[in-house]
């Protein structure tokens, strides 16, 4: 009969194996961990993990071996590098560019660049009446209200 020490050792191996198996994607299923999958490859990988644990390897060494054998996609938590940073930050960058374009267009609508250009070309500043007439002519009409855009 197994001693209490053997039972504890087996339980530790089993807990470590389950923990690692939950963090490894099944290469056949793709959407399940090897702990949840019943595919042949998942059964073999679970056995490989238990054998590696019994041979005294650390969790990092096991993850490294799996990544070397099957690629980075086998792990649910990929390493943080320049490529993953670009993927995660791209929505923020696109949003920032869109907000900048919107702000620039709003700024352009509110400034009278055309009048300043006329002042430079003529060499004489416009009178207040001429300025008012130019603003009326050059200011585009406000965009139509849309049902999805909040009212100001």
């Amino acid at each position: 009969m197994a001693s209490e020490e053997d039972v504890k050792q087996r339980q530790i191996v089993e807990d470590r194996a389950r923990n690692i198996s939950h963090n490894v994607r099944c290469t056949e299923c793709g959407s399940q961990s090897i702990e949840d999958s019943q595919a042949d490859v998942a059964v073999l990988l679970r056995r490989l993990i238990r054998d590696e644990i019994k041979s005294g390897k650390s969790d990092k060494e096991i993850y490294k071996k799996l990544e070397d054998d099957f690629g980075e996609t086998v792990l649910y938590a990929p390493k943080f590098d320049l490529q993953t940073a670009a993927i995660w930050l791209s929505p923020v960058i696109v949003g920032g560019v869109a907000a900048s374009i919107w702000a620039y267009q709003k700024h352009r609508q509110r400034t009278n660049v055309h009048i300043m250009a006329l002042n430079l070309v003529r060499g004489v500043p416009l009178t207040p009446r001429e300025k008012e007439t130019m603003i009326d002519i050059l200011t585009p009409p406000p965009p139509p209200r849309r049902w999805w855009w909040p009212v100001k």
Side-chain angles (χ1 to χ4, degrees), residues 13 16-17 20 48-57 62:
V13 168
R16 278 185 62 199
I20 293 171
L48 171 80
I49 290 170
R50 282 175 179 77
D51 291 343
E52 295 290 323
I53 290 171
K54 287 176 186 173
S55 70
K57 292 201 175 162
I62 295 170

Side-chain angles (χ1 to χ4, degrees), residues 125-135:
L126 297 175
T127 65
R129 186 161 186 244
E130 288 174 329
K131 215 180 242 188
E132 189 177 315
T133 304
M134 290 303 296
I135 287 174

